[in-house]
Amino acid sequence: MTAQPAANSGPVNKAGLGKGDYKGLPTTLCSGCGHNSIANQIIAACYELDIVPERIMKFSGIGCSSKSPTYFLSRSFGFNSLHGRMASIATGAMFGDRTLRAIGVSGDGDTASIGMGGFKHMVRRNVPMTYIVENNGVYGLTKGQFSATAEVGLKLKHQGTNSYMPVDICMEALASKATFVARSFAGDPKQVKELLKAALSHRGIAVLDIISPCVTFNNQENAIHSYTWGKDHEAPLHEISFVPALEEIELPGEFEAGEVREVTMHDGSTVVLKKLEKDYDPTDRSKAFQMLEEAERENLLVTGLIYIDTGKPTLIDTFNLVETALNRLGEKDLRPKQETLEKINAQMF
Amino acid sequence: MTAQPAANSGPVNKAGLGKGDYKGLPTTLCSGCGHNSIANQIIAACYELDIVPERIMKFSGIGCSSKSPTYFLSRSFGFNSLHGRMASIATGAMFGDRTLRAIGVSGDGDTASIGMGGFKHMVRRNVPMTYIVENNGVYGLTKGQFSATAEVGLKLKHQGTNSYMPVDICMEALASKATFVARSFAGDPKQVKELLKAALSHRGIAVLDIISPCVTFNNQENAIHSYTWGKDHEAPLHEISFVPALEEIELPGEFEAGEVREVTMHDGSTVVLKKLEKDYDPTDRSKAFQMLEEAERENLLVTGLIYIDTGKPTLIDTFNLVETALNRLGEKDLRPKQETLEKINAQMF
Amino acid sequence: MPENVCNDFSITIATVNGSGSQTANVTLLRALFKMGIPVSGKNLFPSNIQGLPTWYTIRVSGEGYTARREEQEVVVTLNPASFARDLASVKPGGAFYYADDIKMPLEREDIAIYPMPVKALSRAADVSPSLRDYIANMVYAGILAEMIGIDMQAIQQALSFHFNGKEAPVTSNFNVIQAAAEWARQNLKKRDPFCVEALDKTEGMILADGNTAAALGSIYGGVQFAAWYPITPASSLAEALNIYLPQLRKAEDGKATYAVLQAEDELAAIGMTVGAGWSGLRAMTSTSGPGLTLMGEYAGLAYYSEVPVVVWDVQRIGPSTGLPTRTAQGDLSEVYFFSHGDTQQVILLPGSVTECFEFGWMAFDLAERLQTPVFVLSDLDLGMNQWMTQPFQYPETPMDRGKVLWEGDLEERNGVWGRYKDVDGDGIPYRTVPGNQHRASAWFGRGTGHDEQARYTEDSKTWEEMMKRLKRKFETARGLVPAPMVDIMKGATMGIIAYGSSEPAVVEARAHLAKERGLKSDFLRLRALPCSEEVGEFVRQHERIHIVEANRDGQLCQILRAVMPDQAAKLHSAAHSDGLPLTAKWLQEAILNEEEKK
Amino acid sequence: MPENVCNDFSITIATVNGSGSQTANVTLLRALFKMGIPVSGKNLFPSNIQGLPTWYTIRVSGEGYTARREEQEVVVTLNPASFARDLASVKPGGAFYYADDIKMPLEREDIAIYPMPVKALSRAADVSPSLRDYIANMVYAGILAEMIGIDMQAIQQALSFHFNGKEAPVTSNFNVIQAAAEWARQNLKKRDPFCVEALDKTEGMILADGNTAAALGSIYGGVQFAAWYPITPASSLAEALNIYLPQLRKAEDGKATYAVLQAEDELAAIGMTVGAGWSGLRAMTSTSGPGLTLMGEYAGLAYYSEVPVVVWDVQRIGPSTGLPTRTAQGDLSEVYFFSHGDTQQVILLPGSVTECFEFGWMAFDLAERLQTPVFVLSDLDLGMNQWMTQPFQYPETPMDRGKVLWEGDLEERNGVWGRYKDVDGDGIPYRTVPGNQHRASAWFGRGTGHDEQARYTEDSKTWEEMMKRLKRKFETARGLVPAPMVDIMKGATMGIIAYGSSEPAVVEARAHLAKERGLKSDFLRLRALPCSEEVGEFVRQHERIHIVEANRDGQLCQILRAVMPDQAAKLHSAAHSDGLPLTAKWLQEAILNEEEKK
Ligand SMILES: Cc1ncc(C[n+]2csc(CCOP(=O)(O)OP(=O)(O)O)c2C)c(N)n1
Ligand SMILES: Cc1ncc(C[n+]2csc(CCOP(=O)(O)OP(=O)(O)O)c2C)c(N)n1
Ligand code: SF4
Ligand code: SF4
Ligand SMILES: [Mg+2]
Ligand SMILES: [Mg+2]
């Protein structure tokens, strides 16, 4: 199906759409909020991937972060659901028309506090969706309480000092066998966009933990989730440059250090990983654990594609559904014939 | 405080109590249920540790497993709460009298399905409690549906085939920075008891994932959680012999392969770990991740003490509470003086 | 020997949970049904898997009464643990059958006592030793059949149905039954009056349980998505979907037109259901009390964002975990006022197994027509017990998918529409669903304040208007939900209102009150909330109304008083809840006590 | 120039969310209060952190009315985004102050319009450029103070209170205010009648918000454990605990006699609270609509297993997420029927800030005495706005810890007791708590069926008796909860019932109805459910009752109709809910319309 472009002049993409066709309503978030720049990168990524907005569904929970789906892709269906409950509503919605892609935007409170259970189970079901956590270590919308990703020892007004171990969202995703785990930093729009494009091209759950500073409530020098902290402590894992391709590219077999590695996505496009000296292989789950565990001990913020597995069937695959979108099936597909009921009645005794 | 022994003859422990003082009501679980043998080991462990039953609190959620607290320590207070909600009620109850110890018994459905969020957050708060998961991979009490720990591909009557990645409870505990993580098998009572004693002597959250076969609904040859499977696939990580001690023993510094390692518990007793050739160090979190990840890939069921950290303050420690048990404080401790209110009123304008 | 009491007594069989007595019990039930004798069977089982006492009661009633009775004329026990209690429970003049390996005092002169050599006879049967405990059940089945006169052929039919036609099990079981019957013929002398005789009163009826019926009804209603979490007594509803959907709803190419998903909990189960409903699917979930309560937040979202979903609540007795294997009608007021803020929920109240089927498909039509959650309140008694009921009727009306706009519809409207606009004055707006490719099709769902275009707004007027429209919609629902069933006795001034599984007790009580006390009554069986017109009329037309329900607080009575204040004074509550189905005996007394007050 | 209108008008100040105008607004409010003039201040803010329009309204009322008014006589705007709307909102004859950098049409002849050189004056102030936007607020404060005649000394007192005495900020802010006032004196000619004059009507009163009062009340009630999860408008209650507990409740050795814990969600918050209550602590949680609904399952457990806990619900408008920063009284019916199965919950309804304090400590006495959850329903208007109120009264009665048995008590009883035994006939049993070392002290709590010894049982009689006892306990509660406040007008035949923050509108409406329409009314302010005797009497004594509440469905009206069916016909609902506090104007019309019907 081809898209209906807006009556806008200016450059268009392969879908025949201009950037404007991907815009959302004006943001109502604080100026300088990390969430805004992420919204902009979502717009850019979808434009560059030639995605038709009507073929995307947007989801979120409740929070400043969860408001952002209103700020991109106005032409896409969306649902701003309940606090911590994005996972379940998105999971159910995926069955309506399985050809649609989904982008979910959640917050660290929304995902790691109240939404932990739903998040973990969504991941283990490999629901095909790009799951973004706009991670600022605080509750923005409720004005600055600790979230579960706040680091130990962080002090906040009226809240005292946080004494609990922070939740590492990438670690949690990995433990639940996510098939795509990445982390980035809102202050690094280029990497955010590239990872978004990789995620959107992945078939399966793609968890993107994006450190997204809250300028209003969590920008102490000492806070992991503040701009300042992020800038100093970032250690980009590897550069990524994304090359949309028209035909499938196979994953090269054995691969040595220094070499350039390509991971083939299900839509045929690929992520090119320039491998760094520390020789990181995003398909090695065991290494991924080690790396995260280490980074955490060294209090480092590792960004990049941490883990990817392109082989697992998605939740939807496992249901072996008919070709037609379920939500376009009619009475004749859905209501069994009268005879069948007579048989059933005959059995009922 | 010394205990009041029942009027029973026969041998008594240092608390002056006989085994009978640790018994519970007769079980109503299926004969042969793994949960029963665990209950018996809890009785044995408490008896051998000379614990006064009145100084223990028992908790559970809902399930066959969650029924078992009725089957041990009738002289201890207990609460059979809600399905998946043991973590929160236990966390709150710990504040009543912080000198009490707590044993929680949950199931795999209770903890890894509906209770996932509460479980993870209880662990990251390091609530001082022995948290037992009687893990059988099914929902026993509701008659045999899949739980979140059921292995992929498992078939059950009326349920079809499980297609989701199983939850590894030890991995989850570790990811949430548990200070004590162990796994055992109900068919190995000796190890269960030793690990229980170690857990009960640990100050902090002690997660014990005990594979506990459901004889009624999950005993297919092929099921991870069945006796047969367990027996063949067990690979004990190291023997443990538990030595109650009267004075503190320091943790030895550098430690080589082959050596015997002692981890000192907060109550001064120690766990002696005979180190195996594969040279496993239960204080190395990174190794623990690797080991679990590997074991899982190789479809192995590793038992033993997987990780321990005796250095972290518990949830209760962080609140710096008064010496007296909070639930014995009186009005003079709890209601501020009248003058103070006058000051407050003066401020209110 | 006293003269025969034919086709009017209750049989209770006491066994040990997990010993496999269900086959024998249901076989007896089916055999009686096959003989054309009206029956009802109720399973009283513990919330445990193995080892605790469990009872199965069969009521035989030539007059067709199916309500629970308190008296037990015939009692069979294989369980030492409940032996004393079972013996005591036999009505004077009744019969007591027991496994003779149980050595316990038998002090009762007023009943006929029959020992059964269960062990011996099962040892005699040529089945593997591991099956002996199971086969023991066939022994009592055979002896009982012989003693009360159940037709052996009917038993064979019942067995072959049970093992759907498989030769081997049928014969091996039947052989034991026959041997046992033979033994009884030789060794037992009938000393009690209770027996059965063939009738033609089950003609054209079927035997089924409400959960299976609900699942089948949903399937014929075109269910496309079901998310659930196991809980007694609702699990068998979702499990019936797992059993029947593959048979009934695969496309030619063998691919599925549906998805059933076991969620991690009820919060997720309803969340997924709401997601599926929003995406245009006929979506449902099924649960019971504790799970239902967890669904409150999403129920509020579905109400306010107007997402069609169907929620089956197979009620068990509460509050809290309560008694998972006992029945009640205790969730009505929770659901009617479900979730925080002002909500009015649409509720269906099936009163029979065949109505569980009917409401199974109807619930989807109502949910999609009204764009709101529809709650169907069944209960353990209706859902898990076998009932004699009318055959399932194929839906007489085509599916009503409600006001959904697709690409074409939007073209016609030049893309001009408003998600929450009341175009037709019935309070029901139009909606589009994901996948619609028209560039004006998308809208953004939310539980926060929104205007007719689904845009976020904090404007007070808009909020108020949106809420008033929802109230109008509820008025529309009043006209769409199934009307009550009314049964009139000429000259009655007193009325009875009941719903759900309470009907059998009412039917029987009314008959007795009229016959024995000359107290006539009209009967309205409520089938849904909001109340349709007829309910108000019925109330106004009577001097006094007794509202019958299986809960402590008279929940429906409270709701009716609130919605018809000018009639409230004449609404009397006849409520009772102890986990067991209501009996006619209790109801008669309750009504008589109340009537005496006037 | 028309003659002065003194001490009877409303001021609305329009600014941008996050621009720090609260200091200026509250300073004005406090200054007026200091002048002895009755005031009320209401903050109408968006559910957003920065950039959206926000309004602060101060009502000045010599007669002491504190309800919201719809008319705005004096409007101040610094926000271009709301300029047009603000201009239009000025009542004819009123005054409009605006920042002169906003260049927008000013077509209104019927009001006095005053430009304010906000930018210029803030630039003039010697504060760091980063603070200029903030200081701009002091500019309008100064100009307004000068123009309506607010005493500068009062302003200085207000400031020094705000910055609790810190010299530097006080002077820098005060300087700007004085400079602005000076400018106004020089450049603005008063062309509107609205002004203030000192009175003595705030003598002995305090200014406070309900959430702070609730926290303080809880602290003086001896709260030992609080678990919470952030949610507007309840967060500031728990945060006030964090602020005041360390000051008020540390032992000599500096150690804590309390614990406040931020949970991962509301399911956990109430779970922890129930655990703490069960372990013998005075335990509480605080939340709002969405969080409350998530607490349903644990609320049912606490009701049935009889665990004392206190739950504060600071209501916001729903259903669903609704409008997080708008007020309502919409959770009453949910809470009254909270959780599945038969439940009857005890509810407190504070009607003023000082009552939030009183119920703060009283709730614990009731919860522990009754061994049941006690729900306190406040709302955003009461909880987050500054109110003129009576000073907090030190609890006149000692703490009531209820029926708790310790080692000594058990010794006396030789260890013979039953957790769920109704020894005293009031439906309230005795309990022990963990840590009790007597070997007969332990019992096993559960949400499943239990007998008097807390042992699991499925026995139907036991179940029913346990539930009946709980009903007796609810009757006991009827006599213990705070009685309603009743205000009589001689010769009134019509009654009004209201609760919570609706009182001010009722007080004002009654006065006007009596004065202007000669319509006298008696007033009952309900303070708790279940209803104490007085409520029934009040209803019986009046021909007609109007039940006033800020929700759509008339939730209290429905409940009262259900509990007093014989009076139901005379209960009329005056309900209205748009997110804003009720006004006397609306209420007068609602009552008059209803009265005309008769
Ligand atoms: C059930 C429920 N509890 C609490 C809230 C209040 N609430 C709204 S947003 C939020 C936290 C948001 O934090 P986060 O997810 O990190 O998003 P952020 O605002 O930081 O981007 C909370 C607690 C709610 N809306 N619903
Ligand atoms: C909220 C809620 N949902 C569902 C149930 C029904 N239920 C009771 S036990 C159980 C699962 C038990 O499984 P598990 O925790 O593994 O314990 P097991 O019986 O296997 O030992 C379920 C779903 C419930 N009691 N409460
Ligand atoms: S409060 Fe923080 S998270 Fe929320 S919009 Fe502002 S900057 Fe962003
Ligand atoms: S059903 Fe399974 S888990 Fe439950 S008691 Fe029986 S064996 Fe144990
Ligand atoms: Mg956040
Ligand atoms: Mg299990």
Side-chain angles (χ1 to χ4, degrees), chain A residues 1-7 17 20-21 25 28 52-60 62 66-100 114 116-122 124-125 127 315 319-349, chain C residues 30-31 33-34 154 157-158 161 205-209 212 216 219-225 244 247-251 253-265 267-282 297-298 301 305 307 357 361 365 386 390-401 406-407 411 432-448 455-456:
Chain A
M1 228 177 287
T2 67
Q4 306 169 321
L17 300 174
D21 295 308
L25 299 175
T28 61
V52 176
E54 284 77 18
R55 307 209 62 76
I56 289 234
M57 291 189 291
K58 306 177 293 181
F59 298 98
S60 66
I62 296 285
S66 293
K67 283 181 176 185
S68 50
T70 6
Y71 313 139
F72 58 83
L73 300 181
S74 284
R75 284 174 52 175
S76 303
F77 277 81
F79 211 118
N80 175 197
S81 67
L82 297 172
H83 188 39
R85 311 296 170 208
M86 176 176 89
S88 55
I89 197 170
T91 300
M94 296 305 298
F95 286 86
D97 179 341
R98 63 197 174 71
T99 65
L100 304 181
I114 188 171
M116 174 68 89
F119 170 65
K120 302 279 290 181
H121 286 280
M122 178 179 215
R124 63 181 274 267
R125 292 192 181 100
V127 176
L315 172 71
F319 280 90
N320 184 32
L321 301 174
V322 290
E323 290 310 316
T324 329
L326 286 191
N327 66 9
R328 290 181 189 261
L329 293 179
E331 175 149 359
K332 67 171 231 326
D333 309 295
L334 300 179
R335 175 166 288 168
K337 303 233 165 348
Q338 177 131 24
E339 311 82 80
T340 60
L341 185 58
E342 280 145 20
K343 278 208 206 64
I344 299 246
N345 275 323
Q347 289 167 16
M348 290 296 149
F349 123 76
Chain C
R30 291 210 175 92
F33 177 78
K34 264 289 161 204
Q157 287 173 302
F161 168 78
M205 303 281 267
I206 62 172
L207 262 188
D209 66 81
T212 303
L216 285 165
I219 291 170
Y220 283 83
V223 60
Q224 295 174 281
F225 182 87
Y244 287 101
Q247 302 172 25
L248 294 165
R249 285 280 302 282
K250 287 262 167 99
D253 57 6
K255 296 196 169 225
T257 60
Y258 58 84
V260 178
L261 202 160
Q262 185 186 315
E264 65 270 26
D265 60 23
L267 295 160
I270 186 147
M272 292 173 183
T273 306
V274 169
W278 171 76
S279 78
L281 302 185
R282 295 205 137 184
E297 193 188 11
Y298 252 117
L301 177 66
S305 63
V307 176
F357 178 89
W361 59 263
D365 288 350
Q386 293 282 329
Q390 295 295 332
F392 304 143
Q393 293 296 323
Y394 196 74
E396 60 271 9
T397 54
M399 284 186 186
D400 178 0
R401 302 305 303 263
W406 283 101
E407 289 85 350
E411 280 308 332
T432 56
V433 301
N436 187 320
Q437 292 304 300
H438 192 287
R439 64 183 300 275
S441 62
W443 57 281
F444 198 73
R446 46 163 51 92
T448 43
R455 287 173 304 224
Y456 177 71

Side-chain angles (χ1 to χ4, degrees), chain B residues 35 65 107-110 134-140 147 149 214:
Chain B
H35 302 352
S65 35
D108 44 322
D110 199 61
E134 296 182 342
N135 189 347
N136 55 15
V138 288
Y139 289 173
S147 91
T149 64
C214 170

Side-chain angles (χ1 to χ4, degrees), chain D residues 232 330 385 421 430 536 547 557 566:
Chain D
T232 307
N385 285 321
K421 225 176 153 126
Y430 286 77
I547 299 171
C557 186
D566 57 321

Side-chain angles (χ1 to χ4, degrees), chain A residues 341-349, chain C residues 22-39 41 56 150-165 170 202-210 212-213 216 244 353 385-392:
Chain A
L341 185 58
E342 280 145 20
K343 278 208 206 64
I344 299 246
N345 275 323
Q347 289 167 16
M348 290 296 149
F349 123 76
Chain C
Q22 270 312 78
T23 314
N25 299 339
V26 182
T27 298
L28 290 168
L29 184 77
R30 291 210 175 92
L32 290 160
F33 177 78
K34 264 289 161 204
M35 290 174 69
I37 308 168
V39 283
Y56 190 77
I150 300 178
D151 172 11
M152 277 298 152
Q153 219 185 333
I155 291 222
Q156 195 166 19
Q157 287 173 302
L159 281 173
S160 79
F161 168 78
H162 187 84
F163 297 104
N164 38 55
V170 174
T202 61
E203 216 36 58
M205 303 281 267
I206 62 172
L207 262 188
D209 66 81
T212 303
L216 285 165
Y244 287 101
V353 167
N385 284 322
Q386 293 282 329
W387 294 73
M388 188 174 73
T389 191
Q390 295 295 332
F392 304 143

Side-chain angles (χ1 to χ4, degrees), chain B residues 1-282:
Chain B
M1 230 177 286
T2 66
Q4 304 169 322
N8 62 359
S9 54
V12 298
N13 61 11
K14 289 214 184 60
L17 299 175
K19 261 250 166 114
D21 295 308
Y22 296 85
K23 286 235 152 43
L25 300 174
T27 179
T28 61
L29 302 178
C30 304
S31 46
C33 175
H35 302 352
N36 287 327
S37 65
I38 297 171
N40 294 332
Q41 293 318 308
I42 293 174
I43 291 171
C46 291
Y47 174 78
E48 294 176 22
L49 285 173
D50 310 313
I51 296 174
V52 176
E54 285 77 16
R55 307 209 62 75
I56 288 234
M57 292 187 291
K58 307 176 291 180
F59 298 98
S60 66
I62 296 286
C64 293
S65 35
S66 294
K67 283 181 175 184
S68 50
T70 4
Y71 314 139
F72 58 82
L73 301 180
S74 285
R75 283 175 53 176
S76 303
F77 276 81
F79 211 118
N80 176 196
S81 66
L82 297 172
H83 188 41
R85 312 295 169 208
M86 175 176 89
S88 55
I89 196 171
T91 300
M94 297 304 298
F95 287 86
D97 180 341
R98 63 196 174 70
T99 64
L100 305 181
R101 289 191 248 203
I103 301 177
V105 180
S106 176
D108 44 322
D110 199 61
T111 288
S113 294
I114 188 171
M116 174 68 89
F119 170 65
K120 302 279 291 182
H121 286 280
M122 177 179 215
V123 170
R124 65 180 272 269
R125 292 192 181 100
N126 199 27
V127 177
M129 165 174 186
T130 297
Y131 190 119
I132 300 164
V133 180
E134 296 182 342
N135 189 347
N136 55 15
V138 288
Y139 289 173
L141 192 53
T142 50
K143 308 197 167 181
Q145 299 86 4
F146 295 114
S147 91
T149 64
E151 63 267 34
V152 190
L154 178 67
K155 286 187 178 41
L156 289 176
K157 197 153 171 244
H158 299 337
Q159 312 301 329
T161 308
N162 181 36
S163 53
Y164 311 131
M165 302 308 297
V167 171
D168 178 337
I169 287 170
C170 293
M171 175 72 92
E172 294 301 338
L174 203 60
S176 296
K177 326 237 177 20
T179 53
F180 182 113
V181 181
R183 178 181 284 133
S184 189
F185 174 57
D188 182 353
K190 185 171 165 311
Q191 188 192 39
V192 168
K193 189 176 73 183
E194 294 310 326
L195 285 171
L196 273 169
K197 288 162 78 172
L200 282 163
S201 312
H202 175 67
R203 217 181 72 213
I205 186 81
V207 177
L208 224 64
D209 176 25
I210 307 181
I211 307 304
S212 176
C214 170
V215 295
T216 307
F217 296 113
N218 188 4
N219 213 7
Q220 298 99 316
E221 294 291 314
N222 71 320
I224 283 198
H225 306 82
S226 72
Y227 273 110
T228 42
W229 200 97
K231 281 277 181 228
D232 320 345
H233 291 65
E234 258 184 302
L237 203 58
H238 36 57
E239 303 158 35
I240 299 184
S241 76
F242 187 75
V243 191
L246 297 178
E247 64 202 55
E248 266 222 27
I249 297 162
E250 282 279 278
L251 187 103
E254 251 324 285
F255 126 23
E256 331 293 13
E259 175 198 345
V260 171
R261 197 195 209 299
E262 285 187 321
V263 182
T264 308
M265 302 285 152
H266 270 90
D267 65 355
S269 58
T270 66
V271 182
V272 181
L273 310 168
K274 179 130 29 75
K275 211 178 204 178
L276 302 173
E277 291 326 297
K278 70 158 73 121
D279 179 343
Y280 185 81
D281 174 0

Side-chain angles (χ1 to χ4, degrees), chain D residues 172-422:
Chain D
S172 64
N173 282 282
F174 191 55
N175 290 343
V176 181
I177 289 179
Q178 279 183 306
E182 177 55 30
W183 175 89
R185 232 184 336 276
Q186 306 293 343
N187 302 280
L188 294 182
K189 178 166 180 332
K190 177 96 169 165
R191 280 177 285 100
D192 70 88
F194 301 101
C195 62
V196 299
E197 266 171 22
L199 296 170
D200 60 356
K201 294 196 171 172
T202 62
E203 211 43 52
M205 303 282 268
I206 62 171
L207 262 188
D209 66 82
N211 283 351
T212 302
L216 285 165
S218 308
I219 292 170
Y220 283 84
V223 61
Q224 296 174 282
F225 182 87
W228 66 295
Y229 189 70
I231 187 166
T232 307
S235 300
S236 58
L237 199 165
E239 285 162 350
L241 288 174
N242 284 332
I243 295 168
Y244 288 100
L245 274 168
Q247 301 172 26
L248 293 166
R249 285 279 302 282
K250 288 262 167 98
E252 292 72 17
D253 57 7
K255 297 199 170 219
T257 60
Y258 58 85
V260 178
L261 201 162
Q262 185 187 315
E264 65 270 26
D265 60 22
E266 291 85 354
L267 295 160
I270 186 147
M272 293 173 183
T273 306
V274 169
W278 171 76
S279 77
L281 301 185
R282 296 205 137 183
M284 70 184 284
T285 184
S286 46
T287 186
S288 190
L292 180 75
T293 296
L294 287 174
M295 295 184 176
E297 193 188 12
Y298 252 117
L301 175 66
Y303 169 81
Y304 185 59
S305 62
E306 303 179 65
V307 176
V309 294
V310 172
V311 179
W312 278 80
D313 172 25
V314 185
Q315 299 168 96
R316 67 192 209 186
I317 199 167
S320 199
T321 307
L323 298 176
T325 60
R326 295 290 185 268
T327 197
Q329 300 177 304
D331 300 347
L332 192 69
S333 39
E334 174 180 44
V335 174
Y336 188 71
F337 297 108
F338 216 20
S339 209
H340 56 281
D342 292 294
T343 65
Q344 297 173 302
Q345 306 288 6
V346 174
I347 301 173
L348 297 184
L349 302 163
S352 66
V353 168
T354 200
E355 213 165 61
C356 286
F357 177 90
E358 185 184 2
F359 289 2
W361 59 263
M362 190 187 292
F364 285 116
D365 287 350
L366 285 168
E368 290 194 325
R369 166 58 48 185
L370 291 164
Q371 293 179 34
T372 199
V374 169
F375 295 85
V376 193
L377 269 57
S378 174
D379 61 38
L380 180 143
D381 185 27
L382 199 53
M384 290 185 73
N385 285 321
Q386 293 283 329
W387 294 74
M388 191 173 71
T389 192
Q390 295 296 331
F392 304 143
Q393 293 296 324
Y394 196 75
E396 59 271 12
T397 55
M399 283 187 186
D400 178 0
R401 301 304 305 263
K403 304 182 182 178
V404 180
L405 301 175
W406 283 102
E407 288 85 350
D409 309 306
L410 292 173
E411 281 306 331
E412 285 171 17
R413 292 165 168 73
N414 304 317
V416 181
W417 73 291
R419 168 63 183 107
Y420 291 115
K421 225 176 153 126
D422 184 4

